[in-house]
Amino acid sequence: MTKNLIFTSIFFFISILNSFADELNIYSHRQPFLINPFLEAFTNKTGIKTNVVYSTKGLAQRIQAEGENSPADLVLTVDIARLFVYEDKNLLAKIDSKILNNNIPAHLKSPDNTWFALSKRSRVIVADKDRVDINQIKRIEDLANEKWKGKICSRPGSHVYNRALMASLIAANGEEEAEKWGRSFVENLARRPQGNDRAQVKAIFEGQCDIAIINNYYFGKLKFSEDKTQREWVKNLELIFPNQGKGDRGSHINISGGGVVKFSKNKKQAIALLEFLTSEEAQKLYGKINFEYPVNPRISATQELISWGEFREDKLPIIKIAELAYKAQVIIDKVRW
């Protein structure tokens, strides 16, 4: 018997016991230190205990292989593309919850209520204050201007964060214009696309480039890092939320989210956790711990996030980002991002 089979058998036995108790089995793509504070708060509030299996990939395939014997009750993940995998494989239950419908806007959940956004993050521009006139960067489209040639750093375009950004450009401007933007953007790069979002900020600090695209929460994580060196990286940075002008579409966003596994033996408890994660208590935690924006429109962002500047989101239905992912990747490959 393989280790995976042994583990699944043990976890399935636990799930049988849980069907008679207030416990939940969670498959999570989000790292433990990011979700544990939420789960602890949920347990303290409801008495429902949680068991978590964490992995960066392969969890959807695992549930598919486990089938009706899957011990999983709930999935938590980041990025709409990863959520869409679960829907595409028909692994999530349709949920009828007045609380979720009331707390989450229509553009931030699946049309058939199988998955729901739990927090938002924006793909933003950061620039060195001394080397860049930030008044010349108002839109993500502005990064295609030849004045920025040799000034921009970026992680590879094929990463889900940048693929989602390209999908948003397709939705806004069409494939032809999105490809044109991509070619000019790549021509403006100071170096070969490499590293993660933190690496782009470090590159600006080291003088390799002046401008980069990152997820907004990296700015917060670096600003309040325990590492003094990383705090230095952002001291001279200006954070720019693009496409905020009158009549413009707003900043491209992506989400963290979750859904109830259709094979769950504890759907009632799983729904209760999703509902809790959209409540005021949890939504404020997303801002405080992860520097993410609330999806619940009645909850304000934290004062720290507000201090970073105006943030108006693109209201494009988030599912369109997943649906356009293939076309986005085709363009990314063509322009060699």
Side-chain angles (χ1 to χ4, degrees), residues 17 22 69 176 279 328:
L17 294 178
D22 281 339
N69 292 326
E176 183 177 342
S279 69

Side-chain angles (χ1 to χ4, degrees), residues 166-186:
M166 180 62 78
S168 75
L169 284 162
I170 294 172
N173 303 322
E175 291 178 60
E176 183 177 342
E177 286 299 313
E179 181 177 336
K180 182 179 178 181
W181 177 89
R183 290 190 185 282
S184 297
F185 175 80
V186 170

